[in-house]
Amino acid sequence: MENEITIYFDEPKKFEASNIRPLNGLAGLYFIFSKSIDIQYPFAKSKLLYIGMSERKTNSIGSRLLSHFEGKSKNIGLINYRKIEPLYFTYINFEILQNVWKFRIEDLESHFISNFVENYGVYPICNNKTGLTVLDKKQSGNLKIDWKYFK
């Protein structure tokens, strides 16, 4: 196998408009999580609530996160978790990964979600997915994800 590359996440940011606005124009993946609530998934606990994607700069990470923040995405899970405690987010700028990830951004999101399912047993609790195209193992390449970040 090629050299494995571990994906580490950036510093957590409070899930609030002032932290979201600077991400306008960025495409990539974003992760919304709790600081204190451990979700008991079938295989392990995690604070991760949601994995999302912005495939284009015009529908950027900033605009997608703002839509969740303002409740326009109608993700009832995120809306209700925010009612009980402040949430946090982190993100991955797709441009930075393009030298190691040769596939589409949609495939990257699928890789992250299917890898989460492998490690935790189900989708993140606020991802309302019922079906998922599971990637061919060759396509998942050599990315290892640091899920401990959300412990």
Side-chain angles (χ1 to χ4, degrees), residues 93-105 108:
N93 181 343
F94 188 60
E95 279 182 15
I96 290 170
L97 282 185
Q98 286 182 308
N99 58 342
V100 293
W101 183 261
K102 304 299 181 204
F103 309 105
R104 302 171 316 143
I105 192 167
L108 184 65

Side-chain angles (χ1 to χ4, degrees), residues 27-43:
L29 301 183
Y30 56 91
F31 306 82
I32 301 173
F33 58 99
S34 160
K35 264 290 182 60
S36 63
I37 300 171
D38 283 320
I39 309 300
Q40 181 62 66
Y41 290 109
F43 300 158

Side-chain angles (χ1 to χ4, degrees), residues 43-137:
F43 300 158
K45 290 180 180 176
S46 177
K47 292 175 174 42
L48 184 65
L49 301 172
Y50 186 81
I51 297 173
M53 168 187 69
S54 144
E55 61 272 54
R56 293 181 306 281
K57 292 179 179 189
T58 50
N59 185 20
S60 67
I61 293 173
S63 62
R64 300 275 300 134
L65 278 170
L66 205 53
S67 170
H68 290 304
F69 180 77
E70 294 170 345
K72 290 179 184 162
S73 71
K74 296 189 173 41
N75 185 315
I76 198 72
L78 291 176
I79 291 166
N80 287 331
Y81 273 107
R82 256 192 74 218
K83 285 179 184 172
I84 60 169
E85 72 159 21
L87 298 180
Y88 290 80
F89 73 92
T90 189
Y91 65 95
I92 295 172
N93 181 343
F94 188 60
E95 279 182 15
I96 290 170
L97 282 185
Q98 286 182 308
N99 58 342
V100 293
W101 183 261
K102 304 299 181 204
F103 309 105
R104 302 171 316 143
I105 192 167
E106 293 85 354
D107 299 322
L108 184 65
E109 182 194 38
S110 290
H111 173 64
F112 270 77
I113 290 173
S114 56
N115 190 272
F116 187 87
V117 171
E118 267 177 49
N119 284 275
Y120 292 89
V122 291
Y123 298 108
I125 197 164
C126 295
N127 280 79
N128 304 316
K129 302 247 188 235
T130 51
L132 173 73
T133 315
V134 176
L135 282 178
D136 171 335
K137 282 287 182 207

